[in-house]
Amino acid sequence: MAANAFDTEITETAEALIGPWRRPRQMLQAQTYDAHASIHDDATAQKLGFKGGTIEGPTHFSQFAPLGERLWGRAWFETGCLSAHYRSVCYEGEEVQAIQSKPLPATRQCQIQMVKRDGTEVLRGTASVGEPHAATALEARLGELKPLADPVILRDVKVAQTSRRQTVRMAFDQIMGDLYPFSLRQKLAVITENSPYYSGTDNPWRKPVIPMEMLSVLFQYRSKDDPLPAKGPAVGLFADQEIRLVQGPLFVDEDYEVEREVVALSGSRRTESAWAKTRVFDKAGTMVATMLLNMATLKESYAPYEDEYRRLYGAGG
Protein backbone atom coordinates (compact mmCIF):
# COMPACT_ATOMS: atom_id res chain seq x y z
CA MET A 1 0.00 0.00 0.00
CA ALA A 2 1.60 3.24 -1.10
CA ALA A 3 1.78 6.16 1.30
CA ASN A 4 -0.47 9.16 0.81
CA ALA A 5 1.16 11.57 -1.60
CA PHE A 6 0.60 14.66 0.59
CA ASP A 7 -0.73 15.59 4.00
CA THR A 8 -1.31 19.21 2.96
CA GLU A 9 -4.44 20.80 4.41
CA ILE A 10 -6.65 21.78 1.47
CA THR A 11 -9.78 23.93 1.68
CA GLU A 12 -12.45 22.91 -0.81
CA THR A 13 -15.24 25.16 -2.04
CA ALA A 14 -17.82 24.57 -4.75
CA GLU A 15 -15.54 26.25 -7.27
CA ALA A 16 -11.95 25.68 -6.14
CA LEU A 17 -9.28 23.93 -4.12
CA ILE A 18 -7.26 26.27 -1.93
CA GLY A 19 -3.92 25.42 -0.35
CA PRO A 20 -2.50 26.74 2.93
CA TRP A 21 -0.46 29.92 3.26
CA ARG A 22 3.24 29.14 2.85
CA ARG A 23 6.54 31.05 3.04
CA PRO A 24 8.78 29.67 0.24
CA ARG A 25 12.52 29.65 0.83
CA GLN A 26 15.04 31.40 -1.42
CA MET A 27 17.91 29.03 -2.26
CA LEU A 28 19.63 30.88 -5.11
CA GLN A 29 21.55 33.62 -3.27
CA ALA A 30 24.80 32.08 -4.53
CA GLN A 31 23.61 31.50 -8.10
CA THR A 32 25.98 32.71 -10.82
CA TYR A 33 25.84 32.71 -14.59
CA ASP A 34 28.06 34.40 -17.15
CA ALA A 35 30.46 34.85 -14.18
CA HIS A 36 28.18 37.28 -12.39
CA ALA A 37 25.44 37.19 -9.76
CA SER A 38 21.77 36.83 -10.68
CA ILE A 39 18.49 38.47 -9.80
CA HIS A 40 18.31 36.13 -6.80
CA ASP A 41 21.26 37.98 -5.24
CA ASP A 42 20.15 40.88 -3.00
CA ALA A 43 22.68 43.43 -4.26
CA THR A 44 22.13 42.62 -7.95
CA ALA A 45 18.35 42.66 -7.59
CA GLN A 46 18.39 45.97 -5.71
CA LYS A 47 20.44 47.64 -8.45
CA LEU A 48 17.63 46.70 -10.85
CA GLY A 49 14.90 48.16 -8.65
CA PHE A 50 13.80 45.07 -6.73
CA LYS A 51 13.54 44.95 -2.94
CA GLY A 52 15.95 42.05 -2.71
CA GLY A 53 16.79 38.67 -4.16
CA THR A 54 13.70 37.10 -5.69
CA ILE A 55 12.38 33.58 -5.20
CA GLU A 56 12.67 31.54 -8.38
CA GLY A 57 9.30 31.11 -10.08
CA PRO A 58 9.09 27.29 -10.25
CA THR A 59 9.50 27.17 -6.46
CA HIS A 60 5.80 28.06 -6.43
CA PHE A 61 4.87 25.01 -8.50
CA SER A 62 5.20 22.81 -5.41
CA GLN A 63 2.19 24.42 -3.77
CA PHE A 64 -0.02 23.31 -6.67
CA ALA A 65 1.09 19.66 -6.52
CA PRO A 66 -1.28 18.64 -3.68
CA LEU A 67 -4.16 20.39 -5.45
CA GLY A 68 -3.45 18.61 -8.73
CA GLU A 69 -3.11 15.29 -6.94
CA ARG A 70 -6.40 15.86 -5.09
CA LEU A 71 -8.18 16.43 -8.40
CA TRP A 72 -6.51 13.82 -10.58
CA GLY A 73 -4.68 11.35 -8.33
CA ARG A 74 -1.89 9.28 -9.87
CA ALA A 75 -2.45 10.91 -13.28
CA TRP A 76 -1.08 14.17 -11.86
CA PHE A 77 2.36 12.60 -11.39
CA GLU A 78 2.28 10.91 -14.78
CA THR A 79 0.78 13.50 -17.17
CA GLY A 80 0.35 16.67 -15.07
CA CYS A 81 1.04 20.12 -16.54
CA LEU A 82 1.45 23.54 -14.95
CA SER A 83 1.49 26.51 -17.33
CA ALA A 84 2.07 29.88 -15.66
CA HIS A 85 2.69 33.54 -16.40
CA TYR A 86 4.65 35.08 -13.54
CA ARG A 87 2.95 38.35 -12.62
CA SER A 88 5.04 39.68 -9.72
CA VAL A 89 8.14 38.67 -7.79
CA CYS A 90 8.08 37.11 -4.34
CA TYR A 91 10.62 37.60 -1.56
CA GLU A 92 11.60 35.25 1.24
CA GLY A 93 9.32 35.74 4.23
CA GLU A 94 6.26 36.65 2.17
CA GLU A 95 3.26 34.34 2.45
CA VAL A 96 1.62 33.01 -0.69
CA GLN A 97 -1.39 30.80 -1.36
CA ALA A 98 -2.18 28.48 -4.29
CA ILE A 99 -5.72 28.45 -5.68
CA GLN A 100 -6.91 26.00 -8.31
CA SER A 101 -10.36 26.14 -9.83
CA LYS A 102 -12.24 22.91 -10.43
CA PRO A 103 -12.42 21.82 -14.05
CA LEU A 104 -15.71 21.88 -15.87
CA PRO A 105 -17.38 18.48 -16.34
CA ALA A 106 -15.66 16.26 -18.93
CA THR A 107 -12.62 18.55 -19.08
CA ARG A 108 -9.08 18.05 -17.77
CA GLN A 109 -7.85 21.63 -17.46
CA CYS A 110 -8.52 24.38 -14.94
CA GLN A 111 -7.29 27.82 -13.91
CA ILE A 112 -4.60 28.39 -11.29
CA GLN A 113 -3.59 31.48 -9.36
CA MET A 114 -1.16 32.34 -6.57
CA VAL A 115 -1.65 35.40 -4.39
CA LYS A 116 0.09 37.20 -1.53
CA ARG A 117 -1.64 38.23 1.69
CA ASP A 118 -2.30 41.71 0.28
CA GLY A 119 -3.95 40.25 -2.83
CA THR A 120 -0.98 40.78 -5.17
CA GLU A 121 -1.06 38.13 -7.88
CA VAL A 122 2.21 36.18 -8.12
CA LEU A 123 1.22 33.98 -11.05
CA ARG A 124 -1.75 32.85 -13.07
CA GLY A 125 -2.22 30.08 -15.59
CA THR A 126 -3.61 26.60 -16.08
CA ALA A 127 -3.22 23.11 -14.62
CA SER A 128 -4.13 20.01 -16.60
CA VAL A 129 -3.54 16.30 -17.08
CA GLY A 130 -3.10 14.30 -20.25
CA GLU A 131 -4.28 15.97 -23.45
CA PRO A 132 -6.76 18.58 -22.23
CA HIS A 133 -7.96 19.44 -25.78
CA ALA A 134 -7.64 23.12 -24.97
CA ALA A 135 -4.72 25.52 -25.19
CA THR A 136 -2.70 25.84 -22.00
CA ALA A 137 -2.11 29.33 -20.63
CA LEU A 138 1.25 29.63 -22.39
CA GLU A 139 0.13 28.04 -25.63
CA ALA A 140 -2.52 30.75 -25.79
CA ARG A 141 0.03 33.40 -24.81
CA LEU A 142 2.46 32.27 -27.53
CA GLY A 143 -0.25 32.67 -30.12
CA GLU A 144 -0.72 36.33 -29.14
CA LEU A 145 2.94 37.40 -29.06
CA LYS A 146 4.28 40.12 -31.28
CA PRO A 147 7.73 39.29 -32.73
CA LEU A 148 10.72 40.96 -31.12
CA ALA A 149 11.52 44.23 -32.89
CA ASP A 150 15.01 45.79 -32.99
CA PRO A 151 16.83 43.16 -30.87
CA VAL A 152 20.10 44.09 -29.22
CA ILE A 153 20.82 41.44 -26.59
CA LEU A 154 19.16 38.70 -28.66
CA ARG A 155 20.20 39.92 -32.12
CA ASP A 156 22.13 36.72 -32.85
CA VAL A 157 19.42 34.39 -31.53
CA LYS A 158 17.07 32.93 -34.14
CA VAL A 159 13.77 31.08 -33.93
CA ALA A 160 14.27 27.34 -34.56
CA GLN A 161 17.83 27.33 -33.18
CA THR A 162 18.31 23.99 -31.44
CA SER A 163 20.87 22.89 -28.87
CA ARG A 164 22.75 19.63 -28.95
CA ARG A 165 21.39 16.87 -26.74
CA GLN A 166 22.75 16.74 -23.22
CA THR A 167 22.59 13.99 -20.61
CA VAL A 168 21.31 15.09 -17.21
CA ARG A 169 20.73 13.33 -13.92
CA MET A 170 19.71 14.33 -10.40
CA ALA A 171 20.97 12.47 -7.34
CA PHE A 172 19.92 13.30 -3.78
CA ASP A 173 23.24 14.86 -2.77
CA GLN A 174 24.34 16.23 -6.14
CA ILE A 175 24.94 19.99 -6.16
CA MET A 176 23.28 21.15 -9.37
CA GLY A 177 26.01 23.55 -10.51
CA ASP A 178 26.45 27.33 -10.61
CA LEU A 179 22.85 27.88 -11.71
CA TYR A 180 21.45 25.80 -8.83
CA PRO A 181 23.99 25.66 -5.99
CA PHE A 182 22.09 23.20 -3.82
CA SER A 183 21.08 19.53 -3.81
CA LEU A 184 17.73 17.78 -3.98
CA ARG A 185 18.15 16.69 -0.36
CA GLN A 186 18.67 20.32 0.69
CA LYS A 187 15.58 21.35 -1.28
CA LEU A 188 13.45 18.63 0.30
CA ALA A 189 14.41 19.94 3.75
CA VAL A 190 12.65 23.26 3.00
CA ILE A 191 10.19 22.51 0.16
CA THR A 192 6.75 23.96 0.82
CA GLU A 193 4.93 20.67 0.18
CA ASN A 194 6.96 17.55 0.90
CA SER A 195 5.88 14.03 0.03
CA PRO A 196 7.11 10.53 0.83
CA TYR A 197 6.96 10.01 -2.93
CA TYR A 198 9.98 12.33 -3.26
CA SER A 199 12.35 10.63 -0.84
CA GLY A 200 11.66 6.90 -0.96
CA THR A 201 10.06 3.98 -2.78
CA ASP A 202 6.69 3.94 -0.99
CA ASN A 203 4.75 5.07 -4.05
CA PRO A 204 3.13 3.45 -7.11
CA TRP A 205 6.39 3.46 -9.12
CA ARG A 206 8.70 2.16 -6.36
CA LYS A 207 11.27 4.86 -7.11
CA PRO A 208 11.86 8.34 -5.63
CA VAL A 209 10.04 10.93 -7.75
CA ILE A 210 11.58 14.30 -8.68
CA PRO A 211 9.24 17.15 -7.58
CA MET A 212 7.90 19.32 -10.41
CA GLU A 213 9.77 22.42 -9.21
CA MET A 214 13.01 20.44 -9.35
CA LEU A 215 12.30 19.32 -12.91
CA SER A 216 13.05 22.92 -13.84
CA VAL A 217 16.45 22.53 -12.18
CA LEU A 218 17.12 19.20 -13.92
CA PHE A 219 16.16 20.53 -17.35
CA GLN A 220 18.28 23.68 -16.97
CA TYR A 221 21.22 21.94 -15.27
CA ARG A 222 23.56 21.93 -18.29
CA SER A 223 22.01 24.76 -20.31
CA LYS A 224 25.14 26.90 -19.97
CA ASP A 225 27.23 24.16 -21.62
CA ASP A 226 25.54 25.08 -24.91
CA PRO A 227 24.15 28.59 -24.42
CA LEU A 228 22.19 30.77 -26.78
CA PRO A 229 24.35 33.43 -28.51
CA ALA A 230 22.85 36.25 -26.42
CA LYS A 231 24.90 39.34 -25.59
CA GLY A 232 26.07 39.77 -22.02
CA PRO A 233 26.71 39.97 -19.23
CA ALA A 234 23.06 40.71 -18.52
CA VAL A 235 20.50 39.65 -15.92
CA GLY A 236 17.45 37.59 -16.82
CA LEU A 237 14.40 36.25 -15.03
CA PHE A 238 11.76 33.63 -15.70
CA ALA A 239 8.66 35.43 -17.02
CA ASP A 240 6.60 32.43 -18.21
CA GLN A 241 7.04 28.72 -17.61
CA GLU A 242 5.23 25.50 -18.44
CA ILE A 243 6.27 22.03 -17.30
CA ARG A 244 4.38 19.12 -18.84
CA LEU A 245 4.80 15.47 -17.96
CA VAL A 246 4.15 13.24 -20.97
CA GLN A 247 5.15 9.86 -19.55
CA GLY A 248 6.07 10.66 -15.97
CA PRO A 249 7.11 10.71 -13.30
CA LEU A 250 10.82 11.41 -13.66
CA PHE A 251 13.00 9.68 -11.10
CA VAL A 252 16.01 10.41 -8.93
CA ASP A 253 19.30 8.82 -10.09
CA GLU A 254 18.13 8.16 -13.66
CA ASP A 255 19.71 9.52 -16.85
CA TYR A 256 17.69 11.70 -19.20
CA GLU A 257 18.56 13.54 -22.39
CA VAL A 258 17.41 17.11 -23.05
CA GLU A 259 17.42 19.31 -26.12
CA ARG A 260 16.24 22.92 -26.46
CA GLU A 261 14.69 24.80 -29.34
CA VAL A 262 14.00 28.53 -29.57
CA VAL A 263 10.31 28.72 -30.47
CA ALA A 264 9.71 32.48 -30.20
CA LEU A 265 11.35 35.84 -29.55
CA SER A 266 9.39 38.66 -27.96
CA GLY A 267 9.96 41.88 -26.07
CA SER A 268 8.60 44.56 -23.79
CA ARG A 269 9.67 48.04 -22.77
CA ARG A 270 12.14 46.58 -20.26
CA THR A 271 13.01 43.14 -21.63
CA GLU A 272 14.05 41.00 -24.56
CA SER A 273 12.70 37.45 -24.31
CA ALA A 274 13.78 34.10 -25.74
CA TRP A 275 11.16 31.36 -25.47
CA ALA A 276 12.78 27.92 -25.40
CA LYS A 277 11.06 24.55 -25.63
CA THR A 278 12.97 21.80 -23.81
CA ARG A 279 12.18 18.22 -24.77
CA VAL A 280 13.22 15.47 -22.37
CA PHE A 281 13.84 11.83 -23.31
CA ASP A 282 14.46 8.69 -21.26
CA LYS A 283 17.20 6.17 -22.00
CA ALA A 284 14.89 4.36 -24.44
CA GLY A 285 14.47 7.56 -26.46
CA THR A 286 10.85 8.16 -25.39
CA MET A 287 9.85 11.78 -24.79
CA VAL A 288 8.80 11.91 -21.14
CA ALA A 289 8.42 15.64 -20.47
CA THR A 290 8.63 19.12 -21.97
CA MET A 291 9.28 22.60 -20.62
CA LEU A 292 8.44 25.93 -22.21
CA LEU A 293 10.43 28.77 -20.66
CA ASN A 294 10.45 32.48 -21.36
CA MET A 295 13.78 33.85 -20.16
CA ALA A 296 13.33 37.62 -20.17
CA THR A 297 16.57 39.62 -20.11
CA LEU A 298 16.46 43.09 -18.56
CA LYS A 299 17.69 45.67 -21.06
CA GLU A 300 19.02 47.96 -18.33
CA SER A 301 21.25 45.16 -16.99
CA TYR A 302 23.23 45.06 -20.26
CA ALA A 303 25.63 47.99 -19.92
CA PRO A 304 26.14 48.87 -23.62
CA TYR A 305 22.45 48.47 -24.54
CA GLU A 306 21.79 52.13 -25.48
CA ASP A 307 25.03 52.54 -27.44
CA GLU A 308 24.52 49.32 -29.36
CA TYR A 309 20.89 50.15 -30.09
CA ARG A 310 21.92 53.48 -31.63
CA ARG A 311 24.65 51.80 -33.66
CA LEU A 312 22.26 49.15 -34.94
CA TYR A 313 19.09 51.18 -35.42
CA GLY A 314 20.14 54.82 -35.34
CA ALA A 315 17.92 55.98 -32.47
CA GLY A 316 17.51 55.66 -28.71
CA GLY A 317 16.30 52.30 -27.42
Side-chain angles (χ1 to χ4, degrees):
M1 185 71 180
N4 290 329
F6 299 99
D7 60 7
T8 303
E9 187 175 330
I10 298 172
T11 301
E12 185 169 353
T13 69
E15 295 82 24
L17 300 176
I18 304 168
W21 291 100
R22 300 294 198 203
R23 289 187 175 92
R25 292 287 297 275
Q26 215 281 79
M27 298 186 72
L28 297 182
Q29 298 92 334
Q31 183 187 65
T32 59
Y33 60 100
D34 298 338
H36 63 87
S38 75
I39 199 166
H40 308 291
D41 167 70
D42 284 343
T44 302
Q46 287 164 1
K47 287 178 184 175
L48 295 167
F50 297 94
K51 189 167 64 175
T54 62
I55 290 174
E56 192 193 24
T59 302
H60 301 307
F61 280 19
S62 283
Q63 285 181 248
F64 291 98
L67 309 182
E69 194 272 340
R70 173 71 66 88
L71 271 182
W72 294 301
R74 177 172 172 166
W76 172 251
F77 290 96
E78 295 179 335
T79 62
C81 173
L82 285 174
S83 185
H85 172 51
Y86 296 121
R87 303 269 294 166
S88 63
V89 299
C90 184
Y91 304 101
E92 186 159 310
E94 290 187 311
E95 286 187 295
V96 291
Q97 184 178 58
I99 303 166
Q100 181 167 299
S101 69
K102 292 181 178 178
L104 295 172
T107 66
R108 291 182 286 182
Q109 182 163 288
C110 56
Q111 302 299 308
I112 61 169
Q113 181 187 41
M114 176 165 280
V115 295
K116 299 182 185 182
R117 283 281 189 184
D118 65 1
T120 300
E121 191 173 53
V122 176
L123 65 81
R124 70 167 62 172
T126 55
S128 57
V129 291
E131 291 294 334
H133 305 296
T136 65
L138 295 196
E139 286 172 343
R141 191 165 166 79
L142 269 180
E144 299 166 355
L145 286 179
K146 293 180 180 178
L148 176 61
D150 299 341
V152 175
I153 298 167
L154 299 180
R155 62 183 181 265
D156 295 328
V157 178
K158 307 300 179 187
V159 173
Q161 277 185 263
T162 303
S163 73
R164 64 177 182 269
R165 281 205 185 186
Q166 300 168 319
T167 300
V168 296
R169 165 188 284 254
M170 181 177 289
F172 278 114
D173 295 306
Q174 174 186 354
I175 301 299
M176 299 301 291
D178 290 344
L179 285 176
Y180 300 99
F182 57 87
S183 68
L184 174 58
R185 196 179 305 279
Q186 289 169 329
K187 167 59 75 171
L188 293 179
V190 299
I191 196 170
T192 52
E193 313 299 329
N194 211 337
S195 170
Y197 286 19
Y198 298 154
S199 54
T201 60
D202 193 9
N203 63 51
W205 309 275
R206 301 303 181 202
K207 300 176 183 179
V209 170
I210 299 175
M212 189 173 278
E213 73 163 277
M214 289 297 284
L215 293 179
S216 178
V217 174
L218 179 68
F219 300 166
Q220 289 288 98
Y221 173 46
R222 295 187 58 199
S223 60
K224 291 302 177 183
D225 293 351
D226 188 15
L228 292 174
K231 301 301 178 183
V235 175
L237 70 163
F238 291 6
D240 301 87
Q241 188 170 23
E242 175 181 298
I243 295 177
R244 179 192 293 274
L245 292 160
V246 179
Q247 290 192 31
L250 275 66
F251 302 109
V252 178
D253 274 328
E254 293 205 3
D255 285 342
Y256 297 96
E257 290 193 333
V258 301
E259 63 182 27
R260 299 173 192 85
E261 178 187 1
V262 178
V263 294
L265 298 171
S266 65
S268 70
R269 182 177 58 83
R270 291 191 66 191
T271 64
E272 293 187 8
S273 287
W275 294 69
K277 181 77 170 280
T278 300
R279 297 176 179 88
V280 186
F281 304 87
D282 66 12
K283 57 190 175 186
T286 301
M287 189 170 74
V288 293
T290 63
M291 180 172 72
L292 178 61
L293 178 63
N294 170 12
M295 174 62 83
T297 303
L298 294 159
K299 295 176 182 178
E300 64 192 288
S301 73
Y302 180 53
Y305 182 88
E306 294 290 344
D307 289 341
E308 292 188 9
Y309 188 98
R310 282 191 290 272
R311 178 174 59 81
L312 290 164
Y313 306 109

